[in-house]
Amino acid sequence: MSPTTLSAVITVDGPSGSGKGTICRLLSQKLGWNLLDSGALYRLTALAARHHGVDLDDVEALQVLAAHLDVRFVASDTESEIQIFLEGEEVTKAIRAEDVGLDASKVAAIQPVRTALLSRQRDFAEQPGLIADGRDMGTVVFPDALLKIYLDASAEERAQRRYKQLIDKGVGASLEDILQDLRARDDRDMNRSASPLKPAEDAIRLDSTSMTIDEVLAAVLEEARHRGVR
Ligand code: C5P
C-alpha cells in the first residue's frame, strides 16, 4: 500500500516524557487538525490482550487482536481529553497505567502487530490535516509528511516530569524507579528490530530539556509556517 496521503501531516516522534503528547494536543487545537495518538493503539492492543487472556508471547493471537481492535476515539465538548472506548468500555484512564505502558512496549516490538495497525493509523490522515504522535510516525507510517519533528529531552528531566505528574495526582512514586523504568522502555523502543525509535533523516530535532512547552510549540509552529501551514 502506498504511504502517500492526500492531506498534510506533521509527525512528532520521540521517547516517553519528551512532551510529545502535550505538544501534539496543542498543535491540533491551534491548527484545527486531526490528532493521532499512536501509542494509544499499542496500549489498547496490550489491554485487549489482557481482557482476552492472550499471552504477550502469542504473536499470532496478538496480530489477530490488533487487526480487529474494536476502538472508538470520541471528542467530547466538556472534556479536553479525547475519550477512548475498547469493545464499548471506556478505557481512557485505564490505558495510561504504567503496567499497560510496559506491556504496550512489548506488544509494539512485534512486527506483525505493527503491520496490523498500519492502515488504521494512515486512515487518520484526513482533511484539513493530521498531527501524528508516536515513535515511527516520520520513519515508517508517514514517510511523506510535510514536517517531521523529533522531540527529545534528557532521561533525568523526563523522569522528573513523570514524577511531578504522579505526585500532583497524589500518587506515591519513587524518582529512582521511574528513571529505571524509563531507561528500560527507551532501550526496548530504540533497540528493537521492528520500527525502532529514531529520528527520520529529514526530521527537525528539538531538545526540550530546558525549553518550556510554549517555546517548543512556537518552534514547531514556526517550522510549520515555513512549509506553508497557516
Ligand atoms: O507513547 P506511549 O507511551 O503511549 O506509547 C506506549 C508504547 O507504545 C511505547 O513505549 C512504544 O513501545 C509503543 N509505541 C510504538 N510506536 C508508536 C507509538 C508507541 O512502538 N508509534
Side-chain angles (χ1 to χ4, degrees), residues 13 16 20 37-40 42-43 96 101 104-106 108-109 114 121 133-137 141 185 189 192 195:
D13 290 304
S16 312
K20 285 176 301 132
D37 171 5
S38 62
Y42 293 97
R43 288 173 181 267
R96 301 296 162 197
S105 82
K106 292 179 186 162
R114 303 195 73 87
Q121 295 175 79
D133 165 352
R135 304 290 191 290
D136 62 341
M137 299 294 98
V141 182
R185 190 120 79 88
D189 289 350
R192 66 188 179 208
S195 308

Side-chain angles (χ1 to χ4, degrees), residues 153-166:
S154 71
E156 289 74 14
E157 171 65 19
R158 292 184 286 122
Q160 189 71 49
R161 289 175 188 169
R162 183 69 188 142
Y163 176 73
K164 186 169 179 306
Q165 263 175 6
L166 291 172

